[in-house]
Amino acid sequence: KFIKVLFRVPFIFLNKDKFKLMELVVFISDIFNDFVLNNFLIIENNLLNNQKLIWLTTNDSIINKLKNNNVEFLSFNISKDDLINYPELHIDTHRLHPDLSQLYLISFKTYPNYDNYWFIENDVKIIAKDQNNSFKVIFEYFKNSDYDIIADHIKHVINDELSLKRYWWFCTSLLPKYNIDPNTIWKGFFTFCRFSNKILKSYSDSDDILKKCFFEMSFISFANKYGM
């Protein structure tokens, strides 16, 4: 029941073949303010015994501000080569959008020995009666789950009318030059998600054309294609 309350729609899971234990929790933020710091501290206080927390950022000033607070940082600089240009956006102006899969993969490559990887963006707030333990409720609920991907709004795009009409990444990732079958496309919402070591390694090693899709589509579609 709480999943519906917290995330508005039920989770859908993609199966994997064995139980995983050790987890890396990656807090993603280039912004530093009281809300962001408080969110980080709540997550830090909500960690389970099998979890390690790091702060992933491209903003070195945050590292300097918290250098005496025993926070473990992973610094990552996004270059022009890490950006994907979506030239056919269905919005008024063209923009460059970073391929955020790079943030997931750099975390995996730097810390390759964890079984699962939680990724939490800085503005995620869990609505719960006990706000100070809100993340722990989620961590506890899924600690024994054996899924390659846990995320919100996982859907088969071709069967979802809202996705077909409104999600610009669906339109822009199925460019004719990539010859991607729209029936193979799934999508998710990755502000608060978990990936297995298995899918991050497989995705990292693969040259599958699905990786040309927007990152919130490419991972789900990749997992579905390869039976995860």
Side-chain angles (χ1 to χ4, degrees):
K1 182 178 179 181
F2 77 89
I3 299 176
K4 293 183 180 180
V5 173
L6 296 179
F7 298 93
R8 300 183 302 281
V9 297
F11 277 87
I12 298 175
F13 309 113
L14 300 177
N15 290 320
K16 70 183 180 67
D17 55 7
K18 61 181 179 180
F19 179 64
K20 298 293 186 181
L21 292 173
M22 301 307 296
E23 297 186 336
L24 184 70
V25 179
V26 183
F27 182 75
I28 302 173
S29 183
D30 280 344
I31 301 171
F32 185 81
N33 54 39
D34 289 343
F35 173 82
V36 171
L37 180 58
N38 183 63
N39 225 22
F40 177 82
L41 294 175
I42 289 175
I43 295 171
E44 184 177 53
N45 292 328
N46 280 207
L47 292 178
L48 306 181
N49 291 333
N50 67 325
Q51 293 177 323
K52 174 187 178 69
L53 176 64
I54 65 169
W55 187 319
L56 175 61
T57 184
T58 64
N59 186 352
D60 289 339
S61 68
I62 297 178
I63 299 176
N64 293 328
K65 289 177 182 177
L66 295 177
K67 63 183 178 181
N68 296 321
N69 292 66
N70 296 319
V71 177
E72 185 167 342
F73 286 96
L74 177 57
S75 179
F76 178 58
N77 295 316
I78 298 180
S79 68
K80 291 182 180 180
D81 292 337
D82 297 315
L83 295 175
I84 293 180
N85 184 20
Y86 296 98
E88 299 179 11
L89 299 186
H90 293 267
I91 54 178
D92 293 335
T93 59
H94 291 187
R95 293 181 294 175
L96 282 175
H97 295 267
D99 177 9
L100 296 187
S101 66
Q102 298 302 314
L103 302 184
Y104 304 156
L105 296 179
I106 193 67
S107 301
F108 166 70
K109 291 176 181 178
T110 306
Y111 300 88
N113 297 321
Y114 285 84
D115 298 304
N116 294 311
Y117 298 77
W118 285 97
F119 297 98
I120 307 174
E121 295 184 11
N122 61 24
D123 58 351
V124 170
K125 189 174 181 65
I126 306 300
I127 301 173
K129 291 182 179 179
D130 184 1
Q131 201 64 54
N132 290 328
N133 290 301
S134 55
F135 286 94
K136 189 172 185 179
V137 171
I138 304 296
F139 293 149
E140 285 278 4
Y141 187 86
F142 291 111
K143 69 179 181 181
N144 294 324
S145 64
D146 59 352
Y147 303 105
D148 283 303
I149 297 177
I150 298 175
D152 200 2
H153 292 279
I154 295 181
K155 293 182 179 180
H156 190 200
V157 174
I158 201 70
N159 293 324
D160 184 56
E161 183 177 353
L162 182 62
S163 297
L164 290 170
K165 288 182 177 179
R166 297 182 59 187
Y167 291 135
W168 59 262
W169 51 82
F170 173 69
C171 301
T172 59
S173 64
L174 299 182
L175 298 176
K177 65 179 179 180
Y178 297 140
N179 195 28
I180 298 175
D181 181 357
N183 290 292
T184 66
I185 301 301
W186 291 69
K187 63 92 179 176
F189 190 52
F190 291 169
T191 56
F192 185 12
C193 56
R194 195 191 78 178
F195 294 83
S196 70
N197 181 293
K198 175 183 175 181
I199 189 169
L200 289 174
K201 185 177 188 309
S202 297
Y203 189 94
S204 177
D205 293 343
S206 175
D207 60 357
D208 195 290
I209 196 67
L210 287 172
K211 294 174 71 172
K212 295 292 186 180
C213 293
F214 185 78
F215 77 101
E216 286 183 323
M217 298 170 61
S218 62
F219 276 101
I220 307 291
S221 303
F222 182 89
N224 183 68
K225 179 177 180 178
Y226 292 101
M228 299 183 193

